[in-house]
Amino acid sequence: MREALAAEIEIYEKKLNNDFKKHRDTKFDVLEGCAGVANITAWAPEFGLTAIQPADLVYGWNLGTTDGRRQWKLAVTEGKPLITVFSIPCTLWCFYNVYINFRGPERDQILKALQDTERPLLKLAAWTCREQHRRNCLFLFESPPHSDVWRQEEIAPVAELPGALWAISHACQFGAIGIKGQHLNKAIKAGTLNEDIHCVTLYGL
């Protein structure tokens, strides 16, 4: 069983390497937005990939500003990354805030006003997916499956991109750990254009 799994992994790696070679006109391979700890960026060199500074407040790149979004678009259009990774902050769109914490006309208006401040970020995420699709490159877009993000007019059309594959899995499959050291069983929904990445989002690492 172990030998069969190792052989399957080797086949996937060879296929991915061939896919990567098709796009070697890119100036770098990985661009990660709203990255948090940016594990994907950190792991890129282990797979022979190059990555630039991830976009997140942690690293001084604020996508919540006009200039930060302009820099991101420039990185995509000029750098032509092989893959972009984007994860929308879920606080304002999560089930509990939308349907429980902000229930009632007044609170609902407060939440909608807060959500409107993040619409430029939603538009940026959608633009990124479309641009990568247009260039026949890869994207990975992620948000919790019950997040209201998926019902927003900026994001909904992304799910209709030809060839896009969507999967629901759990963060613990990728080694996510809670504050007490327990496995973090947080549901995530992710979309991509690559069958191998799709398999990873389904079954974990």
Side-chain angles (χ1 to χ4, degrees), residues 133 139 157-166 191-194 198:
H133 183 273
F139 69 79
V158 173
E160 305 301 323
L161 288 174
L165 303 168
W166 301 89
T192 184
L193 294 171
N194 181 275
H198 177 64

Side-chain angles (χ1 to χ4, degrees), residues 14-144:
K14 287 181 179 178
K15 184 178 184 302
L16 284 171
N17 285 334
N18 288 334
D19 289 342
F20 294 157
K21 289 175 183 177
K22 295 177 184 177
H23 297 280
R24 274 312 183 186
D25 60 329
T26 61
K27 294 182 180 177
F28 54 87
D29 299 306
V30 178
L31 178 61
E32 198 172 355
C34 299
V37 295
N39 283 330
I40 294 174
T41 298
W43 294 337
E46 296 184 26
F47 297 90
L49 302 174
T50 59
I52 64 169
Q53 174 183 312
D56 195 282
L57 284 172
V58 177
Y59 309 100
W61 188 346
N62 186 0
L63 294 178
T65 66
T66 301
D67 188 58
R69 293 190 293 275
R70 181 189 62 79
Q71 291 178 18
W72 173 272
K73 284 192 172 185
L74 191 64
V76 172
T77 56
E78 297 295 322
K80 300 178 180 178
L82 171 65
I83 183 168
T84 58
V85 182
F86 213 110
S87 178
I88 296 291
C90 60
T91 303
L92 297 179
W93 311 96
C94 73
F95 180 90
Y96 287 103
N97 275 335
V98 173
Y99 297 103
I100 298 176
N101 294 340
F102 284 85
R103 288 184 66 182
E106 291 185 6
R107 289 189 175 185
D108 181 64
Q109 290 304 311
I110 292 173
L111 179 61
K112 288 187 183 308
L114 291 171
Q115 289 176 337
D116 284 344
T117 66
E118 286 198 352
R119 292 202 178 278
L121 198 59
L122 300 187
K123 292 177 181 178
L124 184 67
W127 173 87
T128 301
C129 294
R130 292 195 304 269
E131 180 66 13
Q132 289 293 100
H133 183 273
R134 185 187 67 80
R135 295 194 302 106
N136 195 30
C137 284
L138 309 178
F139 69 79
L140 181 63
F141 177 74
E142 179 272 328
S143 194

